[in-house]
């Protein structure tokens, strides 16, 4: 007679055998090709520990991105690149504090601590990023009176950074988005990439969010609605 422990063990094996095939096929099913690009968003000192707008656990995205990048022949990185006294800084609006909002001609703007000022150490890409093949670094948010979370379009909704045209002329069809912060620059980039006609994947464990006033849940909902695919870095096949 089988004892209780043996029965449980046998059940466990059956359950595992039943699960194994789909689990195996599901792993690393996405293989980036020459028409795929990885967009590494704003992995800059200001958003990392000790930075002026540090994103919680922001440093944890770096090894994940470095590993994932090996699967991509096309990598574009971005840098938030503000003028001193940029309109998105709370410090230039009297009586306003960081994380409060104001209404500007182009819409509602969250106000931030001063961050990513052009040419400063805080605006530099993390020294721990290791992606030698990265072919383009696009800077954004450099117009003093307009913010730009998105790597494609400024917050006025019409001024382009040139990224969509660059990617299209390089015959890129699919973009994978990673970096900081999930609910701002990553989400706005992913949404604009959809609008520009790309197939879009956001790699969740390669991103971290700021999460102010429900922004993280809203960002994921907006992205799902727009057809952005939410994946994990383990879904990407590493052999290039
Ligand atoms: C970002 C807030 C302000 C970001 C940039 O990279 O997500 N967030 N500027
Ligand atoms: Zn910014």
């Amino acid at each position: 007679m089988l004892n209780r422990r043996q029965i449980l063990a046998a059940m466990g094996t059956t359950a595992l055998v039943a699960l194994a095939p789909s689990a195996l096929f599901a792993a690393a099913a996405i293989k980036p090709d020459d028409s795929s690009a990885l967009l590494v968003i704003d992995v800059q000192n200001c958003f990392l520990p000790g930075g002026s707008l540090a994103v919680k656990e922001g440093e944890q995205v770096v090894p994940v991105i470095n590993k994932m990048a090996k699967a991509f022949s096309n990598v574009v990185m971005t840098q938030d690149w503000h003028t001193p006294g940029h309109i998105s800084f709370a410090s230039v609006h009297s009586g306003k504090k960081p994380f409060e909002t104001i209404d500007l001609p182009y819409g509602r703007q969250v106000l931030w601590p001063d961050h990513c000022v052009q040419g400063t150490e805080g605006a530099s890409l993390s020294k721990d990023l290791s992606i030698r093949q990265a072919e383009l670094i696009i800077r954004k948010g450099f117009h003093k009176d307009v913010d730009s979370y998105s790597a494609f379009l400024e917050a006025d909704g019409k001024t382009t950074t040139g990224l969509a045209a660059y990617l299209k002329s390089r015959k890129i069809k699919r973009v994978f988005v990673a970096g900081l912060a999930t609910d701002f620059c990553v989400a706005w980039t992913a949404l604009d990439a959809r609008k520009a006609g790309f197939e879009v994947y956001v790699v969740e464990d390669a991103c971290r969010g700021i999460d102010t006033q429900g922004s993280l849940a809203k960002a994921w909902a907006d992205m799902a609605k727009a057809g952005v695919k939410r994946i994990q870095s383990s879904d990407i096949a590493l052999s290039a």
Side-chain angles (χ1 to χ4, degrees), residues 5 7 15 25-26 50 64 67 71 85 87 92 114 124 131 141 166 168 189 191 213 225 231 238:
R5 199 181 62 80
I7 291 170
F25 283 113
V64 180
K67 187 170 171 197
I87 196 157
V92 304
D114 289 23
S124 295
I131 314 176
Y166 169 83
K168 283 178 186 176
T189 295
L191 292 168
Q213 297 161 40
K225 200 165 141 203
I231 62 168
L238 269 187

Side-chain angles (χ1 to χ4, degrees), residues 36-177:
S36 307
L38 174 63
L39 308 183
V40 178
I41 305 300
D42 297 4
V43 184
Q44 293 167 270
N45 295 330
C46 272
F47 299 121
L48 294 169
S52 59
L53 182 41
V55 178
K56 192 164 173 268
E57 299 180 349
E59 78 285 1
Q60 293 184 20
V61 306
V62 176
V64 180
I65 290 172
N66 286 344
K67 187 170 171 197
M68 184 172 64
K70 295 186 200 303
F72 288 86
S73 54
N74 298 299
V75 181
V76 172
M77 309 211 256
T78 68
Q79 273 180 305
D80 212 33
W81 199 247
H82 298 312
T83 59
H86 190 259
I87 196 157
S88 73
F89 296 170
S91 59
V92 304
H93 303 276
S94 63
K96 289 287 180 184
K97 290 198 279 296
F99 305 100
E100 292 180 357
T101 57
I102 51 164
D103 288 315
L104 292 176
Y106 57 79
R108 181 144 299 178
Q109 171 75 50
V110 180
L111 297 174
W112 305 107
D114 289 23
H115 66 279
C116 296
V117 173
Q118 297 167 4
T120 61
E121 188 53 29
S124 295
L125 293 170
S126 166
K127 64 169 178 24
D128 298 322
L129 275 178
S130 172
I131 314 176
R132 278 183 217 142
Q133 77 273 31
E135 52 211 19
L136 175 70
I137 298 174
I138 196 132
R139 291 170 168 171
K140 61 185 180 61
F142 49 75
H143 288 127
K144 193 171 189 173
D145 295 325
V146 189
D147 205 358
S148 187
Y149 296 142
S150 163
F152 290 93
L153 280 182
E154 299 191 7
D156 62 4
K158 47 180 195 267
T159 308
T160 163
T161 64
L163 182 58
Y166 169 83
L167 294 172
K168 283 178 186 176
S169 68
R170 302 248 4 266
K171 308 234 177 334
I172 301 297
K173 301 201 159 34
R174 303 197 286 177
V175 298
F176 294 73
V177 192

Side-chain angles (χ1 to χ4, degrees), residues 187-222:
W188 287 51
T189 295
L191 292 168
D192 281 347
R194 287 293 298 144
K195 285 188 201 135
F198 297 97
E199 194 181 327
V200 182
Y201 299 80
V202 169
V203 189
E204 184 171 14
D205 59 321
C207 303
R208 288 295 185 280
I210 293 173
D211 203 12
T212 171
Q213 297 161 40
S215 55
L216 190 57
K218 183 178 186 307
W220 282 120
D222 290 347

